[in-house]
Amino acid sequence: MTQVTERATRLRSQAVAGLSGFARTWLVFIGAVVVWEVATRLAESVFFPPPTEIVSTALQLWFSGPASQLFLSDVVFDHILPSLGRCLAGWAIAVILGVGLGTALGRSRTGMDYVGPLFAFFRAIPPPTLVPVFMVLFGLGPGMQVATIIFGAIWPVLLNTVDGVRAVDSVKVDTARSFRTPTPYWIGMVVLPAALPKIFAGLRLSLSISLILMVVSELIGSLNGIGHELISAQRAFEFPLMWTWIVLLGILGFGLNSLLLAAERRVLRWQPNRNNDG
Amino acid sequence: MPTMLEVTGLNHRYGSGDGAHVAVKDLSFSVDAGQLACIVGPSGCGKSTLLRCIAGLIPPTDGSVSLHGDAVNGVPDDLAVVFQDYSRSLFPWLTVARNVEFPLRWRKLGKQERAERAQEALDAVGLSGVGRKFPWQLSGGMQQRVSIARALASKPALLIMDEPFASVDAQTRFELEDLLRRVQREQRTTILLVTHDIDESVYLGDRVLVLSKSPATIVADLPVDLPADRDQIATRESAKFVALRGEVARLLQTVPAKQAAPEQQADEDVATADAAEWTATEEAATENAGSAKETSH
Ligand SMILES: Nc1ncnc2c1ncn2[C@@H]1O[C@H](COP(=O)(O)OP(=O)(O)OP(=O)(O)O)[C@@H](O)[C@H]1O
Ligand SMILES: [Mg+2]
C-alpha cells in the first residue's frame, strides 16, 4: 500500500520535474512565437506573414505527397534531401580530411612549422567568396557546393585535431612506448581518444559552417536546393513560402546540432565531469 | 643464474651548459634472471631517471644498458614499466578491464583469452569487481593496483616498478608486497623496483642497491639473505631483517655528509628522514657504514 503511494509520488515528482524542465527549455521560445504571431497580425505586413500562416504553408509544401512517398511531397525529394546530402557529404569529407591531416601534422614535430602560415592564409579567406572560383572549376551543381563546404568546414576540425593530438600527456606517451604499442593502436587507442574532446568542439563548429555554406552556395549558384528555392520564392514575392525555407533551415540546424551533441555525449561519456556540465 | 640486466657506466645529464643537471652518475650493476632487486635512494636523487634509461625511454648521456645480453636502444621487448605517476599512466577513456587488456591487444590472443588474462591480473591485485568502471572512479591506491595489474598481464621478463606502493594503505601494501614476491617466483619474472621505504626494500628484495643523493651513484649493493618465504610479521621481527634495515638506513644517512648535496632537497628527503629515525633507535655510534653487521644484535 505504502509502496504504491510512494511510487505514485515518485512518478508525480518525476513528471513535475520533467514538465518544469520542458517549460524552462521552451517557455521563452513559445512566448517569442506568440509575440511574433500577435505582432505580425497587428502589422499586417506582406513581408512578415504570421507564424501560423508559415506553418500551414510549410505543411502544404512538404507533406502533400502520396502515401507511397510517406506523404512527403516532391519538394522534399527535389530540394531538401539533395541540400542535406550535399551539406552532410561536404561535412563528412571535411571531417575525414581534417582529422587525418590534423593527426599527421600534429604528431610530426615540424609539420605545422611548414604549413602553419599557409593554413592561416587560407583560413582567413571567407569561404563564400570562393563560390565564384569553384563555380568556374566545377560548374553549377553539387561539385561546386561540396567543394565550398569542404573548404569552409575543414579548418576548425583540422586545427582542433592538431591541438588535441599534440596535447597527449607525457606519462601516457611513455606508457604506450613502454608497451611497444604498434602505430595503429597508438593512434587509435591513445592519440585520438585523448584528442576527442577538442575534435568534437571542432566538429560542432564545422557542422554549423557546413549548413551556412550549403545555403550560401545555393543562393548564389544552384539549380535546386533549399537556398535556390528560398531565393526563387523571394523573387516571386511569395513571402510565406520564403519564410518556410528560413524556418526549415532553423529546424535543420537545431536538429543536426542535437544529433551531434547526443553522439558526443555517448562517445565522451568516459570524461569525469560529463554529467554535471549540462 | 644468467644475467638479465647489465648496466655499465651509466650517466644521465638533463640539459647542457650552465643549466645542466647530472641526475645519474657513473652507475654500474647487473641483475640476474629471476632476481628481485630493490633500489633505495633519497627523493629526487635520480631513481626515475635511472629507470627511464634502463627501460629505453630516454637514451643515457653515456654508458650502456643491455637486456638478455642485447644492447638496449629504444624500448626492448619483454619489459613492462609501472610508472610512479599512476593516475596519468592509466588511460581515462578505457575501462579498468580494457586498460589491463591494453598491452595484450596486438598479441595473438583470442578475445576470450585476453579478457581472462586481464581478469586474472585484476584478481591477483584484489580488484575483481571493478573491471567495468573507469579509472577515475577508483581511489588512488586502487588505480595504482590497476597499473600493476596491467604490467603483470603482459607477463614481462623484466618488470620495472617506480615506487609502486607509495600511495596505498599499510594493509594493502603488505598484501601487494607478498603478491609481488609470489608472482615473481611463479612467473620467474625479474623485477627492478625503486622505493624510498627502507623496510620495503629489505622485505621485498633479494638484494638492495643503495643510491646516494643527487646525482645518483651506487653506495652499496647488499645481498638480502633472508629466507625466500617471507612473512610480514615474523620476517620483520627477525634479527637479520633488523640488522639489514639498520645497515641500509646508516648508508643512506651517511651519504649526505660525504657529498655536497643541494640544500633545497633536504626537507623533502623522505629516505634520509627515515634513516635518521632508524639509526636513532640503535645505539651503535660507529661512523663507518660497512660495520653495520657487527654492531647490531
Ligand atoms: N625532464 C627533466 N628535465 C630536467 N631535469 C629533470 C627532468 N626530470 C628530472 N629532472 C631532475 O633530475 C633529478 C632526478 O629526478 P628523478 O625524477 O629521476 O628523481 P627521483 O629519484 O625519481 O625522485 P622521486 O623520489 O621524487 O621520485 C631531479 O633533480 C629533477 O629535478
Ligand atoms: Mg621518481
Side-chain angles (χ1 to χ4, degrees):
Chain A
M1 185 63 200
T2 49
Q3 263 183 351
V4 172
T5 46
E6 247 173 49
R7 242 183 93 200
T9 30
R10 205 173 60 227
L11 274 179
R12 195 171 323 129
S13 68
Q14 270 173 6
V16 169
L19 267 181
S20 76
F22 178 83
R24 221 182 6 241
T25 318
W26 293 106
L27 199 65
V28 175
F29 180 82
I30 293 168
V33 173
V34 170
V35 170
W36 182 10
E37 176 82 29
V38 173
T40 45
R41 283 198 184 280
L42 290 177
E44 287 186 339
S45 157
V46 285
F47 303 116
F48 295 99
T52 42
E53 195 184 333
I54 296 173
V55 170
S56 67
T57 314
L59 289 179
Q60 177 62 28
L61 185 62
W62 303 331
F63 300 107
S64 59
S68 62
Q69 294 181 2
L70 297 165
F71 302 104
L72 296 173
S73 64
D74 289 342
V75 173
V76 174
F77 294 97
D78 293 344
H79 300 291
I80 301 178
L81 291 184
S83 275
L84 257 183
R86 291 189 288 250
C87 174
L88 291 178
W91 180 66
I93 296 172
V95 168
I96 292 167
L97 286 178
V99 171
L101 262 178
T103 307
L105 287 170
R107 288 313 304 179
S108 95
R109 201 165 307 157
T110 53
M112 271 313 263
D113 297 347
Y114 290 109
V115 293
L118 192 69
F119 285 178
F121 175 76
F122 274 131
R123 200 164 59 117
I125 302 174
T129 60
L130 284 166
V131 170
V133 179
F134 289 130
M135 218 141 62
V136 174
L137 285 178
F138 296 97
L140 281 191
M144 173 278 271
Q145 284 147 5
V146 172
T148 310
I149 293 170
I150 295 173
F151 187 86
I154 195 170
W155 305 112
V157 184
L158 179 68
L159 297 173
N160 273 33
T161 305
V162 168
D163 263 8
V165 301
R166 273 190 175 173
V168 182
D169 179 70
S170 64
V171 180
K172 291 181 184 64
V173 176
D174 281 349
T175 304
R177 282 181 61 204
S178 76
F179 287 124
R180 295 160 304 280
T181 311
T183 310
Y185 292 90
W186 158 241
I187 298 290
M189 290 186 77
V190 184
V191 174
L192 285 180
L196 264 186
K198 275 257 166 78
I199 293 177
F200 262 104
L203 293 187
R204 266 181 279 144
L205 196 55
S206 72
L207 183 60
S208 59
I209 292 177
S210 297
L211 196 68
I212 293 170
L213 289 179
M214 171 199 92
V215 189
V216 170
S217 66
E218 287 170 351
L219 287 176
I220 301 177
S222 176
L223 303 171
N224 68 345
I226 297 173
H228 174 261
E229 287 300 286
L230 198 163
I231 200 80
S232 315
Q234 183 252 339
R235 285 185 185 139
F237 302 106
E238 294 192 43
F239 295 112
L241 193 58
M242 181 188 84
W243 279 101
T244 59
W245 292 114
I246 293 174
V247 169
L248 177 66
L249 287 171
I251 295 172
L252 284 181
F254 180 81
L256 289 176
N257 196 48
S258 304
L259 283 179
L260 188 59
L261 279 177
E264 178 175 347
R265 258 198 300 279
R266 245 194 95 67
V267 174
L268 296 184
R269 67 171 180 270
W270 53 266
Q271 284 197 317
N273 302 321
R274 268 274 127 192
N275 302 330
N276 24 346
D277 61 16
Chain B
M1 274 284 173
T3 304
M4 170 65 73
L5 175 72
E6 177 106 47
V7 178
T8 346
L10 194 75
N11 278 286
H12 192 79
R13 191 177 61 235
Y14 285 111
S16 56
D18 278 351
H21 176 88
V22 181
V24 176
K25 193 174 167 188
D26 200 19
L27 221 144
S28 302
F29 65 93
S30 62
V31 180
D32 289 345
Q35 210 173 37
L36 200 168
C38 285
I39 295 180
V40 58
S43 171
C45 76
K47 304 183 294 294
S48 297
T49 307
L50 169 63
L51 291 190
R52 285 164 59 80
C53 289
I54 292 173
L57 290 168
I58 48 174
T61 318
D62 201 6
S64 68
V65 176
S66 65
L67 191 69
H68 308 293
D70 304 326
V72 168
N73 56 60
V75 182
D77 280 338
D78 252 19
L79 167 148
V81 184
V82 173
F83 288 89
Q84 186 172 7
D85 204 341
Y86 54 86
S87 63
R88 284 169 62 196
S89 167
L90 294 173
F91 302 118
W93 45 86
L94 299 179
T95 60
V96 166
R98 283 167 172 274
N99 260 290
V100 177
E101 282 177 27
F102 181 80
L104 309 177
R105 279 274 164 164
W106 46 91
R107 300 216 183 150
K108 288 191 176 60
L109 285 177
K111 222 176 159 184
Q112 183 76 26
E113 212 178 327
R114 200 165 64 206
E116 274 166 19
R117 245 167 91 174
Q119 191 54 48
E120 251 171 55
L122 280 172
D123 290 345
V125 296
L127 287 179
S128 304
V130 302
R132 299 164 72 98
K133 291 198 173 166
F134 285 106
W136 47 267
Q137 293 173 312
L138 306 181
S139 71
M142 289 163 97
Q143 290 179 20
Q144 180 61 298
R145 282 189 272 163
V146 174
S147 79
I148 294 170
R150 181 173 62 183
L152 292 178
S154 73
K155 300 202 172 149
L158 176 65
L159 176 59
I160 291 179
M161 306 178 94
D162 197 351
E163 305 197 19
F165 310 135
S167 62
V168 295
D169 60 282
Q171 189 55 43
T172 313
R173 188 182 185 126
F174 284 1
E175 282 166 17
L176 287 176
E177 285 170 359
D178 290 336
L179 159 91
L180 194 66
R181 278 196 67 84
R182 198 176 67 240
V183 166
Q184 186 240 354
R185 276 197 291 160
E186 279 169 14
Q187 300 186 359
R188 312 290 312 143
T189 315
T190 312
I191 301 178
L192 187 63
L193 180 144
V194 152
T195 175
H196 58 229
D197 183 320
I198 295 167
D199 280 33
E200 181 169 276
S201 69
V202 175
Y203 181 80
L204 269 180
D206 297 322
R207 162 169 174 219
V208 179
L209 296 161
V210 184
L211 296 189
S212 66
K213 276 206 139 187
S214 185
T217 51
I218 292 187
V219 285
D221 180 353
L222 309 170
V224 176
D225 47 358
L226 294 167
D229 270 320
R230 298 187 189 174
D231 176 87
Q232 288 289 356
I233 296 166
T235 304
R236 284 172 195 266
E237 279 171 354
S238 70
K240 250 186 196 154
F241 181 89
V242 175
L244 273 167
R245 177 180 83 181
E247 183 167 355
V248 174
R250 211 166 290 109
L251 283 163
L252 280 167
Q253 200 186 28
T254 48
V255 173
K258 284 190 212 159
Q259 307 201 278
E263 265 154 47
Q264 94 268 17
Q265 283 174 344
D267 54 338
E268 51 168 359
D269 203 338
V270 187
T272 30
D274 262 9
E277 200 180 300
W278 289 125
T279 36
T281 59
E282 292 188 33
E283 272 132 22
T286 331
E287 295 276 306
N288 186 354
S291 63
K293 276 213 177 92
E294 292 95 63
T295 51
S296 55
H297 23 255

